[in-house]
Amino acid sequence: MNILIIGAGGREYSIGLALKKDDNVEKLYFAPGNGASDILGENINISDFNELADFVEANNIELTIVGPEAPLVDGIVDIFRSRGLNIFGSSAKASQLEGSKIFMKNFLNRHNIPTAKYIETDSLQVAYDFINTLSTPIVVKADGLCGGKGVIIAQSHDEAKKASGEMLSGNSFGDAGTSIVVEEFLDGYELSVFAICDGKDFVVLPAAQDHKKLLNNDEGPNTGGMGAYAPTPLVNDVLYAKIDERVIKPTLKGMEDEGMPFTGVLFIGVMVVNNEPIILEYNVRFGDPECEELMPLLKSPASELFYKASIGDLKNTKIEFYDKYAVGVVMASKDYPYKSSAPAEIIIDNIVHNDIKANSHISFAGVSRGEDDKLYATGGRVLVCVGIGNSIKEAQQRAYALCGQVHFIGKHCRTDIAYQALEIEG
Ligand code: AMP
Ligand code: GLY
């Protein structure tokens, strides 16, 4: 089949790589794709949803897979479905699980799904009164999409009040912050759990851990994610079962009962506190860079997983994963995450070591192809070096061996991705 992937990042590239290995897939298209995705398929420069649907009809595309949240929140799935086209992703209504933190928190509350104690409000006085009842740190969140920046972990009551004031006045995040959530701080360890959902049934992927901070030891500012690995040994069968029963099942039933069945990727940000899963947030798409590690672990054909989910037929589909580990290390450009950097040519050494060649690969993200046909680093997170292995240590060594073969001016990466897992693995 022919497949269209919407998006431009490493996440979409890794979905493309998985589909490329799949015998059922004939031609891949990316809208818009990046400077390297033209190796996997054809980049098309269309963003209007109806024009994309026209393109899909004209090119016999049987499935469209949506990577980022923005087109989902903006209703691409609704338009495609109204035209009878298969698309993998959540409807605009269902995407409120990510698009509005207030919707998400109230939904969790309505369906008794465990989450941090909170209030939602557009009144500064109500925020102040609630802040006074909490001990520090205190978490203040803007309601709408803020590109991952709308969460403040305040270390004092005054800081929490100041953050609430700045959000509510529209100074910090404009309209996205004119309603806020204030919540208690959860102290535990964080996981990324992904369920592929078809409205009723679901497949859970191996749990991942993301490293959001810029620097080793989880220090420095937050980023979109500097690396991730899966599966994490921080999850055992008991915890998976709790996540299934207490989180995913009531979420799918709740969404169906409320008239907005959830199809697509349910990305569950979990904080594990005393072995109990507590929900930090939902996203309606794959994590980036988590997707780059999960796609290579998929043993079943990727097209089958996404296609069956898009037509509501996961129930009769057995999806298998390799019994292996994947570690992904993000290589970022010089000034990431502070500002954009000048384009830098990317040079990748010929990989001579067979072991590295066979068990590692690059997922390209913030790259452009120059007029000289060379690849340039033009985004913040430029590419992800992914290593696969029989242990986390082996996967990590392979990922870092590959990082050593990639060169561009200003490149930097964390050197400790998967460190918590290694402490457990020993
Ligand atoms: P969110 O966008 O809600 O996932 O928040 C972004 C990040 O802030 C999360 O990945 C957590 O690291 C942190 N965070 C959010 N809410 C809380 C909370 N209630 N307690 C502790 N950390 C939190
Ligand atoms: N890596 C976290 C995210 O994609 O939101």
Side-chain angles (χ1 to χ4, degrees):
M1 65 172 90
N2 298 331
I3 298 181
L4 168 66
I5 300 172
I6 309 283
R11 167 179 51 204
E12 290 75 24
Y13 190 94
S14 71
I15 294 172
L17 274 179
L19 290 167
K20 200 71 192 165
K21 287 192 302 195
D22 177 341
D23 294 337
N24 303 320
V25 177
E26 282 162 48
K27 178 149 189 194
L28 287 180
Y29 296 90
F30 292 84
N34 62 40
S37 57
D38 59 0
I39 306 166
L40 304 176
E42 185 179 328
N43 288 346
I44 58 168
N45 198 9
I46 305 174
S47 52
D48 177 83
F49 299 157
N50 273 303
E51 284 176 32
L52 278 168
D54 294 341
F55 183 88
V56 160
E57 283 169 355
N59 290 278
N60 298 320
I61 294 172
E62 282 169 76
L63 174 65
T64 298
I65 299 172
V66 188
E69 64 277 16
L72 295 169
V73 171
D74 291 343
I76 188 170
V77 167
D78 308 78
I79 289 184
F80 272 51
R81 291 216 177 112
S82 73
R83 292 179 55 167
L85 301 170
N86 287 330
I87 184 160
F88 176 77
S90 48
S91 66
K93 260 186 163 176
S95 301
Q96 292 176 89
L97 281 180
E98 174 163 359
S100 165
K101 294 223 186 289
I102 293 177
F103 175 87
M104 182 264 296
K105 292 292 288 192
N106 290 344
F107 176 87
L108 294 175
N109 209 23
R110 281 198 294 282
H111 297 281
N112 291 318
I113 299 167
T115 189
K117 195 170 79 181
Y118 74 103
I119 52 136
E120 45 107 344
T121 184
D122 57 9
S123 147
L124 195 54
Q125 191 55 51
V126 173
Y128 278 15
D129 291 345
F130 187 66
I131 287 168
N132 286 334
T133 68
L134 296 176
S135 49
T136 55
I138 295 164
V139 186
V140 183
K141 303 181 174 187
D143 176 44
L145 290 179
C146 302
K149 298 192 177 68
V151 176
I152 304 289
I153 315 261
Q155 299 303 327
S156 68
H157 290 86
D158 282 349
E159 195 192 332
K161 289 177 182 171
K162 191 163 162 259
S164 308
E166 283 173 359
M167 284 187 197
L168 288 175
S169 65
N171 283 346
S172 315
F173 302 110
D175 285 349
T178 51
S179 291
I180 58 172
V181 168
V182 181
E183 68 180 27
E184 66 176 342
F185 180 81
L186 298 171
D187 193 7
Y189 60 88
E190 217 174 319
L191 303 173
S192 304
V193 178
F194 299 89
I196 305 291
C197 305
D198 73 356
K200 273 189 190 313
D201 294 296
F202 62 93
V203 173
V204 180
L205 276 53
Q209 202 176 27
D210 179 22
H211 295 60
K212 291 198 169 79
K213 300 282 186 185
L214 180 68
L215 304 172
N216 281 2
N217 276 321
D218 294 322
E219 287 170 10
N222 259 331
T223 69
M226 292 301 290
Y229 68 93
T232 166
L234 295 167
V235 186
N236 57 24
D237 288 346
V238 176
L239 194 57
Y240 272 120
K242 285 182 185 169
I243 293 171
D244 273 15
E245 295 301 323
R246 296 191 198 159
V247 182
I248 305 175
K249 283 183 185 164
T251 297
L252 291 189
K253 177 153 189 332
M255 292 297 278
E256 196 182 4
D257 289 350
E258 295 191 18
M260 48 186 131
F262 189 87
T263 55
V265 182
L266 184 66
F267 169 175
I268 311 161
V270 180
M271 189 72 91
V272 182
V273 183
N274 298 326
N275 294 317
E276 296 299 323
I278 320 252
I279 304 315
L280 285 176
E281 65 162 349
Y282 280 141
N283 295 305
V284 297
R285 47 153 178 103
F286 276 115
D288 193 345
E290 293 96 322
C291 189
E292 287 91 321
E293 291 75 54
L294 292 171
M295 284 300 109
L297 295 176
L298 187 60
K299 189 173 180 185
S300 302
S303 65
E304 189 180 5
L305 175 62
F306 295 123
Y307 183 78
K308 290 289 176 73
S310 80
I311 61 165
D313 192 24
L314 277 180
K315 194 173 193 153
N316 304 311
T317 314
K318 187 165 163 38
I319 298 295
E320 291 184 291
F321 297 91
Y322 291 111
D323 190 14
K324 289 191 183 279
Y325 295 88
V327 172
V329 178
V330 170
M331 304 202 73
S333 59
K334 182 166 162 279
D335 295 317
Y336 181 76
Y338 304 105
K339 55 183 172 106
S340 53
S341 313
E345 186 187 343
I346 301 171
I347 295 170
I348 301 169
D349 296 338
N350 248 339
I351 297 164
V352 285
H353 201 300
N354 281 337
D355 185 55
I356 306 300
K357 214 174 187 168
N359 294 292
S360 70
H361 63 267
I362 294 174
S363 237
F364 289 96
V367 299
S368 308
R369 196 172 287 284
E371 288 188 353
D372 53 9
D373 212 33
K374 292 177 179 164
L375 267 191
Y376 287 84
T378 46
R381 293 188 293 166
V382 175
L383 53 85
V384 187
C385 291
V386 181
I388 311 292
N390 291 317
S391 64
I392 292 173
K393 182 140 202 70
E394 192 176 54
Q396 190 204 44
Q397 281 167 345
R398 288 169 174 164
Y400 279 112
L402 183 58
C403 288
Q405 311 293 103
V406 176
H407 313 280
F408 53 91
I409 290 170
K411 72 167 185 177
H412 62 98
C413 63
R414 275 180 63 161
T415 58
D416 68 344
I417 298 304
Y419 75 96
Q420 292 107 322
L422 289 176
E423 284 164 11
I424 295 174
E425 199 179 59

